[in-house]
Structure formats: C-alpha cells, structure tokens
C-alpha cells in the first residue's frame, strides 16, 4: 500500500513537471510560467528599475533659476553606450556571448531580468505568445534601455509590444514610452503624431483612457512641444495633463513648469494662479510647494500684494522646516524690498541670504550680483568690484552670458580701483610728508597703538576659538576633552604667537629680558624678532617718509595722471558726470603736466556743454580757443553745427574701412587721408569711428612731418582715450615725445 502511494505521488510529480515544461502548451504550464515570470523574474527586474529611478531622482539637482525640464533626467549629449547584453532586432536574444558578465547598474540588472523572462519563460507556440507576462517583460526591457540612453533599442522593444500585443492592457503606456524615446532621438514630430492618435479621437473628443494614461500622454506631448519650441502648445498640453493630479510628483512638476512658462511671458496673473494651485496641492513634494511660494513672490505685480507676500515670506522664514531654503527666501524678500525702494532692508536681507547655511553657489552669484549692482548704482565702485569678484570666484559656468557680462564689468572696475588706490596712497604720503617732524611722530604713534590693539584682539579671539573648539574645523578631538593643552593645534598657534612677540627664549628665570632673546648665540632669531617688532616701531615709519623734492614731485605727477584717467573712466565708461567733473576739476587745479591741460579742458567742456551748464563750458572753451588754436578741438568748437549724414549700416562701414586700410597698405597715404576726411562726417555715431581716426593719423605720419603726426595722434588719444585705438595712439605719442 505504501509503495502504491509513493508510485502515485511520483507519477503525479512527473506529470506536473512535464506539464510545466517548455515544450507543451497546457493550462498548467501557461499559468505556471506566468506565475514564475510575474512574481520572480519581473518582480526583481521592476525592483531594480525602481531602484535606478530613485538614484536618478536623488542625484538630479534642479536649477530653480531656469525653466525645469519636464522629465528630471540629465542625459549626456552624444553619449553612446556599448550594450552589456546581447540585443538583436526584435527579440534579439540569441547571442549569449555576454551571459557571464554581471550587470553593474540597476538598469542593467532590470534589462537582464527582462531578457531572462523572455528567453526562459516565453511560450511562443505556433507564432502566438501564450505567457501573458511577456508583454510586461518587453515593456520593462524598453524602459531599462531608455534609462541607459539607448533609445533606438528601446524603441525596438516598444515596437515589438505594439506589433505583437495590440490588445494588451499596457499598450497605451507602451506607446507613451515609445513617444518619449522618439523625443530623445529628436523625432518629436513623430512623437506628437503618435500621442494625438492615442489621446484624441476627433478634434475635440478624447479617447476614453484612465486619468493616469491621460496625464502621462499629455506630459509626453508637452515634452515633444518643448523640444520643438512650440511653447504655446506645450502649455496647452500641460494644462490638460494637470486637470487631474493622480501622479503627485509629476503633476507638481508639470504645474511648476506651467507657471514658469506664464512668468516667462510676463503673464503674472496666470502664473500666480498656477503657483497658488501648487501651494494648495498638499500631496505635492515639498520642494515644489516652497518654490511655488518663492515664485509667487517673484511674480508680485503691485505694492498692495507685496505687503501680503512679505508677510508670507516672513512666516516661511520662521518655519524651521524651511532652513534648507533660507538663502532663496531671504533673497526673494530682499528683491521685494528693493522693488519698493527700501534699499536698507534690501541690503540687510541680501546679506542674510549670503549667511544662510548650506546656500547654493548659484544663489550666491545672484545675491552678490544684486549687492554689486546696488553699490555700483550708489557709486561705491570698490565695494561693487569686490562683490563681482566674489561671483567670479564661485561661478563654474564661465560660458554663461550673465557671468561673462559680470566679468567685463569687473575688469572695467579693476583699472578704476587701481587709479583710485594710487590717488589715495599718494595723497596720504604727500600729506604726511608735508607735516612737521613732531606731527609725523604723533601720527605714527597713534597708528602703532591701533594696530597693536587690533592684533592683540585678533590673536585672543583666535586662541579662544581654538581652545573651545569653535574654529569650525573640528580642531579638538572628541576623545581628549576641551582643555587648551589637550588641543595640539591650539598649542601650535599659541607657540607661533609667542615666538612672533618674544622670539625664541630659554626656559629660565627672567626670560623677558632682551638679552635672553637668543639660544646658543643664534643671531638669526634676533633678526626675526626685530623684523616682527619693526611693525610696532614708530621710527620704521618715520624713515620711510620721502624727503627728496624729486620723489614727492613724482608722486604728484602719478596722482595727477591717475585723477585724469579716473575722470575719463567716469565720463566714458560709467557715464557718471558728477564724479568725472570732481576728478577732472581737481586735477585741473593741481598744476597738471602740460600734455594734460588740453584733454582736461576738452572733456570738461564736453560734460558741461552736454549737461547744459553753458557758463562752465565757456570757461574751458576759452582755454582751448586761446591756447590751442591750431588743434582740431578748436576747429570742432568753431563749427559745432556741421551737417552730418545719417549713420551708415555697420557692415557697410566695416567694408569701407577695409578699402581704406588696403589703400594704406599699398602706400597710398594721401589718398587714404582724403577719403577718410570725406567719409568721417557720415559715421559720427558709429562705434568704428576711432578706427578710422587712428588709421588717418597713421597715414599722416607716413607723408607729413613729425608735428602733424603728433597732433593727429594727440586727437585720437584724447578723444577716444578709453578705446583700444586711443590707448594705442597714446603709446605711440609717448614714444615720439621721449625721443
């Protein structure tokens, strides 16, 4: 009896195994293969895919200053990935050369599982696939390839599903994924057409799909329209995609992008409505909701709503959960204050934005730029330059148009600051040199007292920070306690400070005595001590004061030249007539060098004449007409109303310049000068005017005498001093004068 039972169960087991085998189609085999495929192979593959997507989301950083991409994936342009697994056309799994290679990424693992499901659990009998899970396997295969940036193989997998399983319940999702892959392959027109066929039956009638499919479909269509720069149609698709908000993460992103599009078009009311909807979307990820609040503040259109928005920002700033966003919140608050002309409050909040912990570098560049612009507007050029320099220090995108513009601005400020420093330094030296010896001594005694006090305070503060582990660098060891002598870095710093003040001393009584300053008669230590203590020695400073008349005269000449250059920069580059007048008038009263008198009076005449101060303009005009009668400046003053032709197109001007330049190269100097003289009245507003004037001056130098050449160069150097041509003319003129 027992043997009979054993035989029965053995036969039953063989029957089941046979029924589940790969050769014969039975109900048991079909359900068994589907069960194993779904809950074993595909389950692990989908888990790997989800893991890879989570890693992508964690590593992707949104740039909230730009319009967000609809799909938050940073694919590398022109990247080609060699396949890890064999991929032929259609199914394409016959080659097994790479079967021993293990997947290195979650997406490769997902692809491996999809391939395994198709190869080992497929039931293609008489051309018909009997395993109902294989279409899921192909969809998983396509998704895995998509995320590996292998879009053509992904489309093959999606096409296989669409061709072989037209009635599958996942056919709509597969078509959406195929459309996304086509978008990535720059076939957005194909993607748009396929989505229209999927979602729209007639012009105004939608297909009866679930909300999930409609959201995904219209989102993919919006991606295609954005790729083809059809932003109006992209907005329409996003509005359709956000009618329902089932997929909370993508729906929140779609709403945010839709609001950004309205804001880019300056449709602030429409943008605000979208952002308010997002703020009230409680299930949305918090990063979208907090940035929607920030965008609401940015799109505030009038003063009445500004007060309400400021209260909202204050409330958000007080919320501890918003600490990661404090830099952005303070920045936006500062923008509102600046817009309301509350400059003091704006400056305060910009600085709070900079001090916010873990602020992003890009946010800092915008904050530094605002601070720089405010100081530039207030003529605090040195402070503005420091803020612009901070931007260049932290910015990584040197090709960005905004950063390039800031770099040019900072470069222009650099020469200004250099000249201002020359003026300040030389003024100080000249002022001290003019004092009596007793006044000089009192001045430097006060200075030494100040720097001693400052050094002592700084050293004590640093020692306190090190002793209590507050230096911000985790100086103290957590295992050793906080006592000063347990901290090696504190001891090293203290030792350095001791040697700096006292030199190297023996461990003995009366170590403070000056004759104890050496160990073993080492003279070098005494010299080091003397070098350190010289900073606090009044005689060191008294000896450095120049006393020779020639040295002081040189300082005055350099200062006067710097004042003239500053006047020119303020006039030509920064259009700050007040500061230009201040610098030029000052140098005009300081007995400037002879070669500066004409240009100083010319620029002051121009400023006063352009600003309507005719009396002041007449003073400087008189100097030029009486003392510089033969110059071209006097000729211009005598014929101020000469008729000028309309400005000619730049391209034509450039072409004409080339023609005259070739005349110069062919040694036809007189002809070149004649033609330039005839042409100049028609291009007085052209940016290329200095080039023509310099070419004319160079041509004059080839066939006229030295004085005529110098006068021509002088006109170019004075009239266009801040241009490349003006500087070149000045350099040539300096060489001619020195000979």
């Amino acid at each position: 009896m027992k043997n009979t039972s054993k035989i029965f169960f053995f036969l039953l087991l063989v029957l089941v195994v046979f029924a589940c085998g790969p050769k014969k189609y039975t109900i048991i085999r079909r359900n068994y293969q589907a069960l194993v495929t779904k809950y074993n192979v595909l389950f692990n593959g989908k888990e790997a895919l989800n893991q890879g997507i989570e890693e992508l989301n964690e590593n992707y950083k949104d740039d909230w200053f730009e319009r967000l991409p609809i799909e938050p994936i940073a694919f590398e342009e022109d990247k080609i990935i060699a396949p890890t697994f064999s991929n032929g056309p259609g199914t394409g799994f016959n080659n097994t050369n790479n079967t021993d290679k293990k997947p290195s990424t979650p997406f490769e693992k997902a692809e491996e599982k999809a391939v395994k499901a198709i190869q080992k659990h497929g039931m293609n009998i008489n051309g018909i696939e009997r395993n109902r899970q294989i279409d899921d396997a192909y969809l998983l295969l396509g998704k895995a390839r998509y995320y590996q940036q292998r879009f053509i193989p992904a489309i093959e997998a999606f096409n296989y599903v669409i061709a072989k399983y037209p009635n599958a319940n996942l056919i709509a999702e597969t078509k959406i994924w195929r459309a996304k892959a086509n978008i990535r392959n720059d076939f957005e027109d194909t993607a748009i057409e396929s989505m229209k066929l999927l979602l729209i039956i007639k012009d105004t009638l939608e297909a009866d799909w679930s909300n999930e499919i409609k959201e995904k479909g219209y989102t993919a269509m919006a991606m295609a329209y954005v790729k083809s720069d059809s932003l109006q149609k992209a907005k329409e698709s996003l509005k359709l995609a956000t009618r329902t908000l089932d997929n909370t993460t993508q729906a929140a992103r779609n709403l945010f992008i839709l609001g950004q599009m309205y804001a880019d078009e300056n449709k602030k009311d429409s943008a605000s409505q979208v952002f308010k909807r997002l703020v009230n979307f409680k299930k949305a990820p918090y990063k979208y909701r907090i940035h929607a609040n920030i965008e609401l503040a940015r799109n505030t259109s009038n003063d009445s709503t500004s007060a309400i928005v400021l209260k909202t920002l204050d409330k958000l700033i007080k919320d501890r959960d918003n600490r990661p966003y404090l830099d952005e919140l303070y920045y936006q608050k500062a923008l509102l204050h600046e817009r309301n002309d509350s400059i003091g409050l704006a400056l305060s909040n910009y600085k709070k934005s900079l001090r916010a912990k873990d602020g992003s570098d890009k946010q800092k560049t915008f904050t530094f730029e605002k601070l720089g612009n405010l100081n530039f507007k207030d003529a605090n050029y040195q402070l503005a330059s420091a803020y612009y320099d901070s931007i260049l220090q932290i910015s990584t995108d040197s090709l960005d148009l905004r950063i390039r513009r800031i770099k040019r601005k900072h470069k222009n400020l650099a020469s200004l600051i250099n000249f201002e420093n020359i003026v300040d330094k030389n003024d100080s030296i000249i002022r001290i040199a003019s004092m009596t010896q007793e006044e000089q001594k009192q001045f430097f005694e006060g200075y030494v007292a100040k720097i001693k006090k400052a050094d002592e305070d700084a050293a004590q503060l640093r020692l306190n920070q090190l002793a209590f582990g507050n230096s911000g660098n985790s100086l103290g060891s957590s295992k050793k306690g906080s006592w000063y002598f347990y901290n090696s870095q504190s001891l090293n710093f203290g030792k350095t400070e001791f040697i700096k003040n006292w030199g190297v001393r023996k461990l003995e009584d009366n170590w403070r005595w000056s004759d104890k300053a050496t160990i073993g008669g080492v003279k070098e230590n005494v010299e080091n001590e003397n070098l350190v203590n010289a900073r606090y020695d009044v005689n060191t400073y008294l000896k450095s004061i120049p006393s020779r008349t020639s040295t002081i005269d040189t300082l005055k000449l350099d200062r006067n030249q710097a004042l003239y250059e500053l006047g020119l920069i303020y006039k030509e580059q920064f259009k700050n007539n007040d500061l230009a007048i201040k610098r030029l008038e000052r140098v005009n009263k300081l007995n400037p060098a002879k070669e500066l008198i004409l240009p100083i009076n010319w620029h002051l005449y121009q400023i006063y004449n352009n600003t309507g101060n005719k009396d002041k303009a007449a003073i400087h005009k008189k100097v030029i007409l009486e003392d510089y009668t033969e110059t071209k400046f006097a000729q211009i003053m005598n014929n101020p109303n000469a008729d000028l032709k309309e400005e000619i197109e730049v391209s034509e001007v450039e072409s004409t310049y080339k023609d005259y330049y070739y005349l110069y190269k062919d040694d036809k100097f007189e002809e070149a000068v004649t033609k330039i003289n005839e042409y100049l009245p028609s291009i007085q507003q052209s940016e290329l005017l200095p080039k023509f004037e310099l070419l004319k001056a160079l041509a004059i130098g080839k066939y006229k005498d030295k004085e005529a050449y110098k006068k021509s160069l002088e006109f170019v150097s004075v009239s266009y001093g801040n241009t490349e041509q003006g500087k070149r003319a000045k350099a040539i003129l300096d060489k001619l004068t020195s000979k």
Side-chain angles (χ1 to χ4, degrees):
M1 188 67 179
K2 291 182 179 180
N3 291 334
T4 304
S5 299
K6 290 180 180 179
I7 293 171
F8 174 76
F9 283 114
F10 176 76
L11 292 173
L12 182 62
L13 180 62
V14 171
L15 181 63
V16 170
V17 171
F18 178 75
C20 297
K23 300 298 182 182
K24 191 174 182 181
Y25 173 55
T26 64
I27 294 176
I28 296 176
R29 180 193 174 201
R30 182 181 64 194
N31 286 284
Y32 172 78
Q33 294 294 340
L35 190 69
V36 171
T37 304
K38 181 176 181 180
Y39 292 106
N40 185 4
V41 185
L42 286 186
F43 175 82
N44 292 327
K46 290 177 181 178
E47 286 294 306
L49 183 74
N50 291 334
Q51 179 190 344
I53 294 173
E54 286 179 8
E55 290 179 3
L56 282 178
N57 292 335
E58 288 175 2
N59 295 328
Y60 185 83
K61 301 298 181 185
D62 283 308
D63 184 354
W64 300 98
F65 291 94
E66 305 290 340
R67 191 174 68 227
L68 301 185
I70 293 176
E71 190 175 38
I73 303 175
F75 284 128
E76 298 180 23
E77 293 292 332
D78 303 323
K79 180 179 179 183
I80 301 175
I81 303 177
T84 303
F85 306 102
S86 53
N87 305 304
T91 56
F93 306 114
N94 296 323
N95 186 354
T96 58
N97 293 335
N98 294 326
T99 54
D100 294 334
K101 187 172 181 179
K102 293 184 178 180
S104 59
T105 68
F107 297 123
E108 288 183 354
K109 183 178 179 181
E111 182 177 0
E112 180 190 51
K113 295 298 181 183
V115 171
K116 181 179 179 180
I118 295 167
Q119 286 183 335
K120 294 189 175 182
H121 300 284
M123 295 180 63
N124 194 324
I125 299 173
N126 297 327
I128 300 174
E129 180 56 60
R130 303 296 181 176
N131 186 345
R132 58 184 178 275
Q133 296 298 322
I134 297 303
D135 52 348
D136 290 81
Y138 276 104
L139 180 57
L140 175 63
L141 176 64
K143 289 179 181 179
R145 290 173 171 176
Y146 177 88
Y147 284 114
Q148 292 176 72
Q149 204 171 338
R150 293 161 51 217
F151 303 119
I152 296 296
I155 291 173
E156 288 183 354
F158 298 138
N159 281 337
Y160 190 82
V161 176
I162 294 168
K164 296 293 183 179
Y165 308 96
N167 299 316
N169 57 1
L170 47 71
I171 195 71
E173 183 181 0
T174 305
K175 289 181 178 179
I176 292 169
W177 276 96
R178 183 181 65 175
K180 288 169 63 176
N182 276 320
I183 294 167
R184 297 294 182 181
N185 267 331
D186 296 328
F187 300 140
E188 52 268 15
D189 291 339
T190 303
I192 291 169
E193 189 63 31
S194 65
M195 287 297 94
K196 285 182 178 179
L197 291 172
L198 175 68
L199 297 169
I200 303 171
I201 298 174
K202 294 182 180 179
D203 292 341
T204 58
L205 185 63
E206 288 183 288
D208 187 20
W209 295 109
S210 66
N211 290 338
E212 180 185 4
I213 292 299
K214 288 180 181 179
E215 284 184 19
K216 290 181 179 180
Y218 284 115
T219 299
M221 192 180 291
M223 283 177 60
Y225 281 128
V226 169
K227 187 75 176 288
S228 61
D229 290 328
S230 302
L231 297 185
Q232 293 301 322
K233 293 182 178 180
K235 285 193 304 181
E236 293 173 6
S237 298
L238 286 174
K239 283 190 282 187
L240 292 171
T242 53
R243 289 174 300 181
T244 56
L245 305 173
D246 292 349
N247 184 342
T248 55
T249 301
Q250 188 61 54
R253 193 173 188 86
N254 288 348
L255 281 172
F256 192 86
I257 295 167
L258 180 59
Q260 285 182 311
M261 288 180 172
Y262 281 125
D264 290 343
E265 296 174 341
N266 204 30
K267 296 180 179 178
K268 294 186 176 181
D269 291 337
S270 299
S272 295
Q273 288 180 1
V274 176
F275 289 128
K276 284 177 183 177
R277 186 183 175 197
L278 181 52
V279 169
N280 296 324
F281 182 20
K282 302 301 181 184
K283 293 183 179 180
Y286 190 68
K287 64 178 181 179
Y288 294 112
R289 291 168 55 202
I290 187 66
H291 282 100
N293 274 298
I294 293 171
E295 291 295 329
L296 276 173
R298 189 172 295 167
N299 285 279
T300 301
S301 55
N302 53 60
D303 294 339
S304 59
T305 56
S306 177
I308 299 172
V309 173
L310 280 171
K311 288 182 180 179
T312 303
L313 288 174
D314 284 332
K315 185 178 178 181
L316 292 170
I317 288 169
K318 291 178 183 177
D319 189 343
R320 295 174 64 88
D321 292 336
N322 292 330
R323 286 184 177 181
Y325 309 104
L326 282 178
D327 58 331
E328 299 174 73
L329 292 169
Y330 277 124
Y331 175 79
Q332 196 55 52
K333 187 179 175 183
L335 279 180
L336 288 175
H337 282 307
E338 184 181 350
R339 195 181 302 168
N340 296 334
D341 291 328
S342 301
I343 303 302
L345 291 172
L347 288 170
S348 174
N349 282 281
Y350 282 134
K351 291 173 183 177
K352 287 179 181 179
S353 174
L354 291 176
R355 290 195 297 268
K357 189 177 180 181
D358 300 326
S360 71
D361 284 345
K362 188 161 188 178
Q363 176 62 72
K364 287 178 182 177
T365 65
F366 281 96
T367 308
F368 278 128
E369 183 180 8
K370 285 293 182 181
L371 286 167
N373 291 344
L374 285 173
N375 281 280
F376 187 92
K377 186 178 179 182
D378 203 30
N380 295 325
Y381 296 116
Q382 287 184 301
L383 191 54
S385 177
Y387 284 124
Y388 295 143
D389 182 65
S390 298
I391 296 171
L392 300 178
Q393 293 298 322
I394 62 177
S395 175
T396 56
D397 189 1
S398 58
L399 298 178
D400 182 75
L401 182 62
R402 182 177 70 93
I403 301 301
R404 294 210 311 268
R405 187 176 65 249
I406 292 169
K407 191 173 183 179
R408 287 196 301 271
K409 208 169 186 178
H410 178 260
K411 186 178 179 181
N412 291 336
L413 283 170
S415 58
L416 181 145
I417 290 168
N418 178 50
F419 289 127
E420 288 285 9
N421 289 336
I422 291 173
V423 171
D424 290 342
K425 178 184 176 183
N426 289 12
D427 275 344
S428 298
I429 296 173
I430 293 168
R431 186 178 69 254
I432 294 171
S434 65
M435 294 179 181
T436 64
Q437 290 185 352
E438 185 61 31
E439 289 173 336
Q440 291 173 352
K441 184 177 180 181
Q442 290 177 0
F443 176 83
F444 285 115
E445 283 175 349
Y447 174 74
V448 168
K450 286 181 182 178
I451 62 172
K452 270 186 178 180
K453 182 68 168 60
D455 288 349
E456 289 171 1
D457 291 344
Q460 188 60 50
L461 177 62
R462 182 63 176 161
L463 284 170
N464 292 341
Q465 290 175 334
L466 292 170
F468 292 98
N470 293 328
S471 64
N473 295 319
S474 300
L475 296 176
S477 172
S478 60
K479 296 180 180 180
K480 291 185 177 182
S482 59
W483 192 37
Y484 177 88
F485 290 101
Y486 283 157
N487 192 316
S488 60
Q489 295 196 35
S490 297
L491 287 173
N492 289 334
F493 181 79
K495 183 178 179 181
T496 303
E497 288 296 311
F498 180 88
I499 295 173
K500 177 181 175 182
N501 291 321
W502 298 100
V504 180
R505 304 291 176 116
K506 279 186 178 182
L507 182 59
E508 60 182 1
D509 293 336
N510 301 321
W511 60 269
R512 295 193 186 196
W513 290 14
S514 60
D515 62 350
K516 306 288 186 179
T518 62
I519 295 177
V522 182
K523 185 178 180 181
E524 184 181 351
N525 293 327
V526 178
E527 292 176 350
N528 289 337
E529 181 187 0
N530 291 335
L531 186 63
V532 172
N533 292 334
R535 189 165 178 264
Y536 303 138
D537 185 4
V538 173
N539 290 326
T540 303
Y541 299 101
L542 291 174
K543 291 176 182 177
S544 65
I545 300 173
S547 57
R548 296 177 61 182
T549 304
S550 59
T551 305
I552 295 173
D553 288 343
T554 301
L555 290 170
K556 290 179 179 179
L557 287 172
D558 292 342
R559 177 199 59 192
N560 293 348
Q561 183 66 38
L563 283 169
Y564 168 71
E565 296 291 348
L566 285 170
L568 207 58
I569 292 171
Y570 286 129
K571 173 179 177 277
E572 301 292 343
Q573 290 186 14
F574 299 136
K575 311 302 179 185
N576 191 325
N577 288 330
D578 292 337
L579 286 177
I581 290 172
K582 187 176 179 181
R583 300 298 187 272
L584 291 172
E585 287 286 16
R586 186 187 172 201
V587 70
N588 199 35
K589 296 174 183 176
L590 290 173
N591 190 26
K594 185 179 179 181
E595 61 268 16
L596 289 180
I597 296 175
L598 173 61
I600 288 171
N601 283 279
W602 168 252
H603 289 298
L604 284 170
Y605 164 76
Q606 282 190 315
I607 295 172
Y608 286 129
N609 192 50
N610 293 336
T611 55
N613 193 336
K614 302 300 180 183
D615 293 336
K616 290 279 189 179
I619 295 172
H620 300 286
K621 180 179 180 180
K622 182 181 178 182
V623 173
I624 295 174
L625 292 178
E626 290 182 355
D627 299 339
Y628 301 93
T629 310
E630 302 300 323
T631 64
K632 191 165 184 177
F633 302 102
Q635 297 172 17
I636 293 173
M637 288 178 175
N638 288 325
N639 298 283
N641 299 318
D643 293 332
L644 300 177
K645 297 179 183 178
E646 293 184 1
E647 185 178 355
I648 302 174
E649 293 293 331
V650 174
S651 58
E652 184 181 340
V653 176
E654 289 178 344
S655 177
T656 304
Y657 176 80
K658 289 179 181 178
D659 293 340
Y660 296 164
Y661 178 75
Y662 290 133
L663 286 175
Y664 173 82
K665 294 293 287 184
D666 292 339
D667 297 337
K668 299 177 181 178
F669 306 120
E670 291 188 57
E671 184 181 353
V673 171
T674 302
K675 287 185 176 293
I676 291 173
N677 282 332
E678 293 173 354
Y679 192 64
L680 284 177
S682 64
I683 58 167
Q684 290 299 305
Q685 306 303 318
S686 174
E687 293 181 356
L688 299 179
L689 181 61
K691 295 183 71 172
F692 282 89
E693 292 284 8
L694 179 60
L695 181 62
K696 174 185 169 183
L698 294 174
I700 287 173
K702 293 294 185 180
Y703 75 96
K704 288 190 177 183
D705 58 28
K706 186 176 180 180
E707 287 303 315
Y709 186 31
K710 287 173 68 175
K711 284 183 179 179
S712 300
L713 290 171
E714 185 180 65
F715 176 77
V716 178
S717 67
V718 173
S719 299
Y720 313 104
N722 274 328
T723 65
E724 182 182 345
Q725 291 75 27
K727 293 175 182 176
R728 185 179 171 192
K730 188 175 184 302
I732 298 172
L733 191 60
D734 290 342
K735 288 182 179 179
L736 290 174
T737 306
S738 63
K739 288 182 179 179

